[in-house]
C-alpha cells in the first residue's frame, strides 16, 4: 500500500510496542493439524485449528524506517460463515484475526493477511480489472473473480476490514462465494520491506496468481478454514 495502513496486501499499522518471547501456535498444534486437499495438499500446507496462537510479525521504527526485528504476536482466530446479507445462492465466509501486538520491537508492525482457493492455490488478491482467468470463458459479476478448477468454475470476492485500539488490532477477511463452495482458506504471517517491494512489482491486473507466486508463502505462515480441516 502507499499509505501507512495497508488494507489489503501487507499492513503497516502504527503502534507503540516492546519485545516478546517465541511461542508455538495453537495448543497441541502438531497433533491437531490436518492436511488439506487438492493443490494445498500437494504443497504440504496444513490447517491450524482456530483459537489462540502466536504469529511471527515484523517490527520497525516509523521515524527512521529501520527494521527493529521480528516478534511473536498473540492472535485469536475465528472463522464463520453466513448466508445473511448476500445474494441468493451465495454465502460469506469470514476469518477474524484478533491481534495483540503489544510485544512489537518497534512502533510499527508489518504483517500479511489474505485468502485463497485451497483447491487450486489461486490467491484472492486480484485487481478490479481482472474478473476471470485468462483461459476462462465466464465473466464474473462486478467485484468478483472466476476461479477455474478443472471443469468447475466459481465466482468469489474478498473484503478486508481493520479495527484497532492501542496495540490491539482486529483484522477481518471476508470471502463471498457460492453457498456450496468449501475452498476458502485464510492465511496470516509476517511481512517485510523486501516483501512489500516484491509485491508492489506484481501486476495484479494481468492475471490471477497462485500464492506460491507471491512473496508471502513458506515457513511462518499459518492457514485456517471454517471447518478446521
Amino acid at each position: 500500500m502507499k499509505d501507512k495502513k495497508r488494507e489489503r496486501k501487507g499492513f503497516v499499522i502504527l503502534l507503540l510496542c516492546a519485545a516478546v518471547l517465541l511461542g508455538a501456535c495453537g495448543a497441541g498444534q502438531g497433533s491437531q493439524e490436518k492436511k488439506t486437499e487438492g493443490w494445498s495438499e500437494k504443497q504440504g500446507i496444513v490447517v491450524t485449528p482456530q483459537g489462540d496462537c502466536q504469529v511471527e510479525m515484523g517490527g520497525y521504527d516509523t521515524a527512521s524506517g529501520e527494521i527493529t526485528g521480528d516478534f511473536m504476536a498473540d492472535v485469536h482466530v475465528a472463522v464463520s460463515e453466513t448466508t445473511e446479507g448476500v445474494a441468493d445462492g451465495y454465502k460469506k465466509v469470514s476469518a477474524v484475526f484478533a491481534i495483540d501486538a503489544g510485544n512489537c520491537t518497534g512502533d510499527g508492525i508489518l504483517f500479511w493477511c489474505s485468502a485463497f482457493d485451497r483447491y487450486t492455490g489461486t490467491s484472492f488478491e486480484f485487481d478490479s480489472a481482472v474478473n476471470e482467468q485468462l483461459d476462462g470463458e465466464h465473466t464474473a459479476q462486478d467485484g468478483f473473480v472466476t476461479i477455474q478448477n478443472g471443469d468447475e468454475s466459481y465466482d468469489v470476492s474478498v473484503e478486508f476490514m481493520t479495527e484497532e485500539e492501542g496495540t490491539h488490532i482486529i483484522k477481518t477477511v471476508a470471502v463471498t462465494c457460492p453457498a456450496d463452495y468449501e475452498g476458502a482458506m485464510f492465511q496470516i504471517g509476517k511481512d517485510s520491506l523486501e516483501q512489500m517491494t516484491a509485491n508492489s512489482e506484481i501486476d495484479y491486473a494481468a492475471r490471477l496468481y497462485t500464492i506460491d507466486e507471491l512473496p508471502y508463502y513458506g515457513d511462518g505462515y499459518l492457514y485456517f478454514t471454517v471447518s478446521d480441516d
Side-chain angles (χ1 to χ4, degrees), residues 189-226:
K190 187 181 70 170
D191 197 357
S192 68
L193 297 181
E194 292 79 11
Q195 288 169 297
M196 290 169 62
T197 298
N199 191 55
S200 68
E201 295 173 352
I202 295 175
D203 184 2
Y204 283 96
R207 63 179 176 89
L208 299 177
Y209 295 84
T210 54
I211 64 168
D212 59 329
E213 295 180 287
L214 306 182
Y216 306 102
Y217 180 73
D219 294 339
Y221 292 91
L222 304 182
Y223 303 90
F224 301 87
T225 67
V226 70

Side-chain angles (χ1 to χ4, degrees), residues 131-149:
N131 62 9
E132 63 181 346
Q133 290 182 317
L134 292 179
D135 58 352
E137 298 179 354
H138 176 77
T139 299
Q141 56 186 303
D142 288 344
F144 285 68
V145 68
T146 299
I147 306 296
Q148 195 75 33
N149 182 18

